[in-house]
Amino acid sequence: MDFLQNITNIMLPEMTIVAFILLQIILSMFLDMKFYKLAKWLTVLGIFLATSLCTKVQIEPIYYGFKNAIISDNYTIFFKGLILISSFLIVFLTKKTISSRRNSAFQFNALILTVILGALTLVSANDFLTMFISMETLGFAMFFLIAFDKGFKSKEATFKYLIISAVASSIFLFGVSYLYGITGHLNFSLIYEYFLEKNPTLLYSMAAIFITCGLTFKLGVIPFANWILDIYEDASTSVVTLLSIVPKVAMFGILARLLVFPLSYSFELTFVLVLIAVVTAIWANVLAIRQKNIKRLLACSSSANAAYVLFTVSLVSVFNLSTVLFYLVAYIFMNIGVFAAVIILESSEFSNKLYEFKNFAYTNPVFTLCFATCILGLAGFPITAGFISKIYLFSAIARSGLVFLPFLIVLMITIVVSVYYYLRVVKFMFEKSDTVESEVIAYKTSSAIVILYCCAAITVVLGIFPSKIIELCQLMAYNI
Amino acid sequence: MDYLSIIVLIFSPLIAAALLFSSFFKHNEVRIRRFSKGFASLHFLYTILFLVFFNPLKDGISYYKEITFFGSDWIQPLGLKMAFGLDGLSLLMVILTSFIFLLALIASKSNIKSKHKFYYSMIFLLQTAVLGVFCARDMFLFFMFWELELVPMYFLIGQWGDKKAKASAMKFVLYTFFGSLFMLLGILLLHFYNFATYGNLTGDFSQIAISTPEFPMFMQIVISILLLIGFAVKMPIVPLHTWLPDAHVDAPTPVSMILAAILLKMGAFGIIRFNMQLLPEAFKLIAPVLVIFAIVNIIYTALVAYSQTDLKKIVAYSSISNMGIVLLGLCSLNLIGFSGAVFQMIAHGVISAGLFMLVGIIYIRTKTREIIELGGLGAVMPRLMGFGLILSLAAVGLPLLVGFVGEFLVFLGAFNSDLDIKIYTGLAIFILVLSAAYMLRLLHKTFWANIFEKWQGIKDITNHEFVVLFALILVVGFFGVFPMAIIEIVQPVLTNILQFLQI
């Protein structure tokens, strides 16, 4: 009965999601195509239930369930909330993707729920095996979601994703196998305790580097970053929104735990990660300059943002962790806002080329204002969450030691580059042109518009009044 | 005094901007313009009240106010407060800001022909940002407003400017962003070292100023240099100045006025606020090096100004040259030099606004700024010529006008400086000749000589333009005769800095 008790104590949100996945799959067999709208609302209900059940999860004192394979504390519940809230917003953006393939609406929603399930178990993993299984759950659902769109392009994208994912996973497993060879454990806490008595060897550092390199795939940073541009362009936009947020948030959650517990003894790892972050920031920001497609540009931007966070995560300290949490919160809302705007544009028959954005400021002022707020937030201009989160993040790096100052300066210069390409998007929207026909956006996607407005509003509110959220983040970071 | 709220002073333009941007105002040009001008006038009167009830002899900050959100500070976990306050220096800059914005709004009538709602709301947003920079009592708040100013500036230059305006606006934003990231790094280090020394997290200027002498000297110098890069871009100091001519040439006239009169002063203001008030010891060590930059600034850009053929570029380069004089005054490290620098900031603000207005008036009528194509305009525009004469003479430094007082005090301070910079100052004095050369060339080529046939039918200045120029001339004349009116307000701040420098 230990098993059931564990489930009722800490796994209720996950179990709700599992129940709704099964429900979706069963319904897809029986229900007619015309009920396709039901699928979305079921997903929404499932996520809502899971979110509310998060309050029932036992977190004080820290709960180790399933023979230490799953951990439940303040930190995991924060990430679970973050994942559920962001996916709650993203589900409302899937309308256009589903409308082209109504007969598969239930499968699509089941896959989305599977991604969420993978992410939820990933952040609460306390064991390399649980972690790997959750990662693959997340990844496999993602393959099908990327391929969901009609046409061969999405299939090509999913194939690229699949291949690189396989390579990254094998590298991760290679690292884990070495770590197992050294310590004889797969559990995070046990590995941590093992090295309290013994000195870590160079082999341990190598294993740590391999493990984190395997994880870089889902974060979209170098060395496994080259998939990101093509897949962002070819996959359906709502899937890309999911791809750019849920796996990343979950991965940063588990990466921080890895760096705090089992991999915390490797000094080499810190420098490798800092180097990876800086190189990725340079690569992504330079690559973004010439992009003419908004989705490709956002791919570079998400990669760059992941690099900033990775920089801070790698300099492990409680304060740094709290800045990372706040950065993720701010980034989620800005990013969803931008993608919602892209989805609105797509459903009013715009292509994703930047030059089609001309005249927007004069034909759709409110839409432009919200879109520009989110974009400027990503660029880090004041009175947006992006400004506060960047200051907060850099304050963490600045106090981590003078050794990292040169890296920080390089990072800051790449941010100047990023301002250029973000402003270019805004510039196009305010440009007047007679040749480009810019119709008033058809308000077909009312849910996406609501999401855009909400995200813009949250971005501004967090930019003016971040105090309470930062306090929450600090509380969570102290409780890892 | 309680009814004078600094919060209203700073954020009322923001509310005006929101009103103008909202659908409350229809696209009615006249109503929008009248509302803006009326609002700016009220704001100016309100700032004058702050001056009236200000006690310059009292040490410290008046009108101090903090904004709290639901009982907690702005970013409480980092100890940052949304605190505003006025000392003598910020009060002067606030009045200058309000004054110049009012004049720029009056001047906007003939320059801005499209997108009125957007333009006027952006101007007011810019005003809030600039006032916030001058009034902030917290480093991060200062930085926030410093960055906020970029957004309206980007649109103001890019949307209503000339052909290449978008590229220039982008250049302006990227340069400033580049500088301000170094500044952010400096601020973060200040914040962190204060925490490491005293154990309390704060961004408050007065508290940081107490703890900075305890920092390691090496760190003080590093922070000082990082901050200086940020301010040098804005000021601008020579190797980082190339954004300024482009931005000025492509911006519409009112924006040029604001840019030259106020935004450049933000750089000098930042140097006083951060480098001199917070890190006096490091500034003492850096000052001899900065003097060289100041001399290069003064002489080099004056020579460049002489070789320009575009009227606006001449005025733009002369602005850089004048900011070099301000920098020289700040580096002299004595009261006369400081007073001269602050006075020169105000003087140059007024004069450059007038000169840009002048160039703008000519450009509207002739559609050219090339000095070769102009000439003899004095015959058809006698009133403009009169104003132009006074303004250029003030820029050259004619006694009894503001330009003279500023330059004279700066050079006097530099000669008496303990730093032994007499040779450099001797070099810098050539600016008097050089500025006379480029200014009189400008005057001569535009207003005298033979008039071209095509300029015969040009009308003289309108009432709007007359009001703007006349107001500026009044200031130029009045403070040229009564310079102490400005210096007395700012003296407590400067003596305070000197006390720290003498440690």
Side-chain angles (χ1 to χ4, degrees):
Chain A
M1 283 304 100
D2 201 27
F3 184 75
L4 269 182
Q5 205 173 1
N6 277 332
I7 284 182
T8 48
N9 277 344
I10 57 168
M11 291 296 274
L12 279 179
E14 285 88 343
M15 285 305 136
T16 321
I17 300 283
V18 170
F20 273 85
I21 293 171
L22 296 176
L23 187 65
Q24 299 266 19
I25 292 172
I26 292 165
L27 283 181
S28 73
M29 289 186 254
F30 295 113
L31 278 187
D32 199 44
M33 199 173 97
K34 68 188 172 195
F35 291 107
Y36 76 100
K37 277 188 178 167
L38 183 65
K40 185 172 92 180
W41 291 111
L42 269 180
T43 316
V44 169
L45 180 69
I47 295 173
F48 181 75
L49 276 180
T51 317
S52 46
L53 281 173
C54 276
T55 53
K56 298 278 178 210
V57 172
Q58 185 184 338
I59 45 176
E60 294 277 352
I62 298 171
Y63 192 99
Y64 295 94
F66 304 102
K67 298 200 168 79
N68 280 352
I70 299 270
I71 189 173
S72 169
D73 56 11
N74 271 318
Y75 177 80
T76 56
I77 211 73
F78 177 83
F79 268 95
K80 280 178 188 174
L82 216 55
I83 289 164
L84 286 170
I85 289 169
S86 54
S87 44
F88 185 79
L89 295 176
I90 292 167
V91 171
F92 285 106
L93 301 177
T94 55
K95 190 174 176 184
K96 182 170 178 284
T97 315
I98 290 183
S99 65
S100 64
R101 292 189 61 182
R102 286 179 186 176
N103 51 350
S104 324
F106 284 100
Q107 284 97 321
F108 181 80
N109 279 288
L111 285 169
I112 283 189
L113 284 173
T114 316
V115 170
I116 295 166
L117 175 69
L120 289 181
T121 43
L122 184 56
V123 288
S124 50
N126 194 32
D127 188 310
F128 277 111
L129 269 182
T130 324
M131 185 182 158
F132 183 68
I133 293 167
S134 322
M135 253 167 70
E136 293 304 302
T137 314
L138 204 162
F140 269 92
M142 217 69 229
F143 300 147
F144 298 116
L145 281 177
I146 293 171
F148 189 79
D149 227 14
K150 278 182 179 167
F152 70 93
K153 281 216 151 189
S154 61
K155 312 299 182 287
E156 186 192 328
T158 204
F159 201 66
K160 281 176 191 163
Y161 189 81
L162 179 77
I163 300 279
I164 301 169
S165 169
V167 175
S169 293
S170 51
I171 286 180
F172 168 77
L173 284 181
F174 184 65
V176 171
S177 69
Y178 268 101
L179 204 57
Y180 184 68
I182 298 165
T183 62
H185 300 298
L186 283 173
N187 193 290
F188 294 170
S189 328
L190 291 178
I191 294 173
Y192 179 71
E193 280 159 19
Y194 179 86
F195 282 108
L196 283 176
E197 289 145 22
K198 294 201 174 62
N199 279 332
T201 53
L202 198 62
L203 195 63
Y204 165 78
S205 282
M206 202 191 83
I209 291 168
F210 270 111
I211 289 171
T212 41
C213 279
L215 297 183
T216 55
F217 164 70
K218 287 232 166 45
L219 299 177
V221 295
I222 281 178
F224 293 108
N226 40 7
W227 56 276
I228 198 161
L229 287 172
D230 290 342
I231 286 159
Y232 270 52
E233 190 186 2
D234 293 341
S236 148
T237 313
S238 54
V239 174
V240 173
T241 320
L242 191 74
L243 179 65
S244 72
I245 287 166
V246 172
K248 249 178 213 183
V249 171
M251 203 52 91
F252 274 120
I254 194 67
L255 184 62
R257 187 178 288 283
L258 281 182
L259 291 174
V260 172
F261 292 111
L263 307 183
S264 58
Y265 299 97
S266 170
F267 297 109
E268 292 87 349
L269 180 64
T270 308
F271 280 92
V272 168
L273 283 183
V274 166
L275 215 60
I276 284 178
V278 171
V279 171
T280 310
I282 296 170
W283 173 80
N285 283 325
V286 171
L287 197 62
I289 294 176
R290 303 301 294 173
Q291 301 302 334
K292 294 189 176 62
N293 185 320
I294 178 84
K295 274 165 86 176
R296 285 179 87 89
L297 194 147
L298 285 173
C300 298
S301 132
S302 78
S303 187
N305 276 296
Y308 310 148
V309 179
L310 185 65
F311 195 122
T312 321
V313 167
S314 59
L315 312 173
V316 183
S317 86
V318 171
F319 181 76
N320 289 10
L321 200 54
S322 77
T323 67
V324 166
L325 300 188
F326 184 72
Y327 196 93
L328 288 177
V329 172
Y331 176 71
I332 282 172
F333 288 113
M334 295 183 297
N335 212 24
I336 292 181
V338 172
F339 274 111
V342 174
I343 285 170
I344 294 167
L345 292 180
E346 277 184 350
S347 45
S348 14
E349 308 300 326
F350 282 94
S351 77
N352 291 318
K353 296 282 184 288
L354 285 181
Y355 57 78
E356 288 210 3
F357 291 7
K358 285 177 182 173
N359 286 349
F360 270 5
Y362 314 109
T363 52
N364 313 288
V366 184
F367 168 80
T368 311
L369 188 70
C370 293
F371 192 13
T373 308
C374 291
I375 286 273
L376 291 180
L378 284 176
F381 278 96
I383 29 178
T384 61
F387 175 74
I388 305 281
S389 59
K390 280 218 169 62
I391 279 193
Y392 198 39
L393 200 74
F394 292 154
S395 76
I397 302 174
R399 64 171 62 184
S400 296
L402 287 179
V403 187
F404 300 108
L405 269 194
F407 295 106
L408 182 57
I409 290 176
V410 175
L411 207 65
M412 285 184 157
I413 291 171
T414 64
I415 283 177
V416 179
V417 177
S418 80
V419 170
Y420 169 75
Y421 62 76
Y422 288 127
L423 269 185
R424 238 178 82 216
V425 180
V426 180
K427 183 189 94 176
F428 274 116
M429 289 196 286
F430 281 88
E431 209 159 275
K432 261 208 165 139
S433 164
D434 306 326
T435 51
V436 176
E437 287 288 315
S438 154
E439 308 139 43
V440 175
I441 291 162
Y443 284 82
K444 281 183 218 160
T445 47
S446 49
S447 52
I449 284 172
V450 171
I451 299 280
L452 172 63
Y453 290 178
C454 285
C455 287
I458 291 172
T459 307
V460 173
V461 168
L462 274 185
I464 296 171
F465 177 54
S467 212
K468 287 280 184 267
I469 302 289
I470 291 183
E471 273 171 17
L472 181 71
C473 293
Q474 287 194 336
L475 180 74
M476 297 309 162
Y478 281 109
N479 279 316
I480 187 171
Chain B
M1 247 168 65
D2 286 342
Y3 50 86
L4 287 179
S5 165
I6 194 167
I7 309 295
V8 176
L9 178 79
I10 294 167
F11 289 102
S12 60
L14 189 65
I15 293 167
L19 259 181
L20 283 168
F21 198 78
S22 68
S23 49
F24 180 70
F25 273 91
K26 299 282 172 284
H27 288 277
N28 184 343
E29 188 193 331
V30 181
R31 270 187 65 192
I32 292 172
R33 212 166 48 217
R34 285 189 184 155
F35 171 79
S36 316
K37 279 186 287 193
F39 180 82
S41 322
L42 282 179
H43 191 269
F44 179 56
L45 290 178
Y46 195 58
T47 49
I48 292 292
L49 282 181
F50 275 80
L51 177 66
V52 172
F53 292 101
F54 186 73
N55 186 358
L57 297 175
K58 208 178 74 185
D59 190 53
I61 301 109
S62 345
Y63 309 109
Y64 184 81
K65 192 100 181 180
E66 281 173 22
I67 304 183
T68 54
F69 301 90
F70 311 110
S72 66
D73 292 330
W74 178 38
I75 308 181
Q76 202 162 24
L78 287 179
L80 309 182
K81 290 173 186 158
M82 212 174 241
F84 299 100
L86 285 174
D87 59 4
L89 183 64
S90 13
L91 181 71
L92 270 185
M93 300 316 293
V94 164
I95 293 171
L96 180 72
T97 307
S98 198
F99 179 64
I100 296 291
F101 268 86
L102 174 60
L103 296 187
L105 283 170
I106 297 173
S108 299
K109 186 195 176 186
S110 43
N111 288 287
I112 304 302
K113 298 291 182 198
S114 62
K115 298 177 262 181
H116 295 91
K117 271 179 82 154
F118 191 36
Y119 172 82
Y120 287 99
S121 52
M122 280 297 134
I123 287 268
F124 280 125
L125 179 59
L126 181 63
Q127 190 174 6
T128 291
V130 172
L131 289 173
V133 167
F134 290 139
C135 297
R137 292 305 306 168
D138 186 293
M139 297 186 301
F140 287 86
L141 195 63
F142 179 97
F143 182 72
M144 188 186 101
F145 282 112
W146 182 280
E147 293 279 272
L148 180 61
E149 155 264 324
L150 291 181
V151 180
M153 238 9 230
Y154 175 73
F155 288 118
L156 285 173
I157 297 175
Q159 296 296 309
W160 291 273
D162 289 354
K163 280 158 287 178
K164 275 163 50 193
K166 289 208 169 59
S168 301
M170 186 67 93
K171 196 172 173 185
F172 166 78
V173 171
L174 290 183
Y175 258 80
T176 316
F177 217 95
F178 173 80
S180 54
L181 281 174
F182 283 94
M183 196 174 109
L184 172 62
L185 196 55
I187 292 175
L188 288 172
L189 287 174
L190 271 179
H191 184 252
F192 170 60
Y193 272 89
N194 175 61
F195 176 64
T197 335
Y198 275 89
N200 66 332
L201 285 164
T202 179
D204 195 280
F205 279 123
S206 21
Q207 288 187 42
I208 298 278
I210 296 167
S211 65
T212 39
E214 312 276 325
F215 295 1
M217 199 58 215
F218 172 70
M219 267 339 278
Q220 284 195 39
I221 293 173
V222 167
I223 295 171
S224 201
I225 290 171
L226 287 171
L227 290 167
L228 258 179
I229 293 174
F231 301 131
V233 169
K234 196 102 227 180
M235 201 161 154
I237 297 174
V238 149
L240 301 168
H241 71 289
T242 52
W243 61 270
L244 187 133
D246 288 346
H248 265 312
V249 168
D250 292 325
T253 306
V255 181
S256 280
M257 286 166 69
I258 292 170
L259 185 59
I262 296 160
L263 296 199
L264 304 192
K265 307 302 168 294
M266 276 163 54
F269 180 84
I271 289 181
I272 296 177
R273 248 294 174 277
F274 279 87
N275 290 68
M276 290 165 66
Q277 285 186 334
L278 299 188
L279 300 155
E281 300 226 3
F283 188 73
K284 222 161 143 183
L285 290 176
I286 292 176
V289 186
L290 268 184
V291 169
I292 296 168
F293 279 99
I295 302 303
V296 173
N297 230 6
I298 295 171
I299 300 296
Y300 168 70
T301 47
L303 287 171
V304 175
Y306 185 73
S307 68
Q308 297 301 319
T309 56
D310 186 312
L311 284 181
K312 237 179 174 176
K313 274 202 171 158
I314 297 177
V315 184
Y317 277 107
S318 84
S319 293
I320 309 177
S321 181
N322 272 294
M323 292 318 284
I325 295 177
V326 173
L327 188 62
L328 182 64
L330 294 180
C331 292
S332 67
L333 302 184
N334 55 28
L335 188 61
I336 307 173
F338 286 174
S339 316
V342 174
F343 196 89
Q344 179 71 8
M345 277 158 74
I346 306 286
H348 173 250
V350 180
I351 295 169
S352 64
L355 286 173
F356 276 114
M357 185 71 203
L358 190 87
V359 176
I361 291 170
I362 295 172
Y363 182 65
I364 288 173
R365 284 157 177 74
T366 62
K367 297 285 168 242
T368 180
R369 284 189 301 254
E370 284 300 313
I371 209 163
I372 310 153
E373 294 181 32
L374 297 166
L377 293 181
V380 283
M381 305 171 89
R383 288 205 288 176
L384 183 67
M385 186 175 82
F387 283 126
L389 194 63
I390 300 174
L391 281 170
S392 349
L393 289 180
V396 169
L398 192 77
L400 290 184
L401 298 174
V402 276
F404 170 75
V405 186
E407 284 177 13
F408 180 74
L409 284 175
V410 166
F411 290 132
L412 194 63
F415 260 118
N416 293 331
S417 171
D418 298 335
L419 289 179
D420 203 21
I421 49 173
K422 290 195 178 57
I423 300 168
Y424 300 124
T425 320
L427 274 173
I429 294 227
F430 278 104
I431 183 62
L432 295 174
V433 185
L434 288 172
S435 68
Y438 63 70
M439 271 300 156
L440 293 179
R441 174 165 166 266
L442 186 152
L443 263 187
H444 185 83
K445 292 271 167 97
T446 45
F447 291 114
W448 285 295
N450 293 324
I451 189 162
F452 284 101
E453 197 60 40
K454 51 185 171 180
W455 308 138
Q456 281 294 357
I458 290 175
K459 299 248 172 16
D460 206 347
I461 50 177
T462 61
N463 289 343
H464 274 81
E465 291 153 353
F466 179 82
V467 168
V468 175
L469 288 172
F470 188 71
L472 290 169
I473 292 291
L474 269 187
V475 176
V476 166
F478 180 79
F479 290 110
V481 184
F482 294 110
M484 282 315 280
I486 288 178
I487 293 172
E488 257 179 19
I489 295 175
V490 80
Q491 215 149 22
V493 183
L494 301 179
T495 39
N496 205 1
I497 295 170
L498 275 175
Q499 278 169 8
F500 278 109
L501 281 173
Q502 245 92 58
I503 295 167

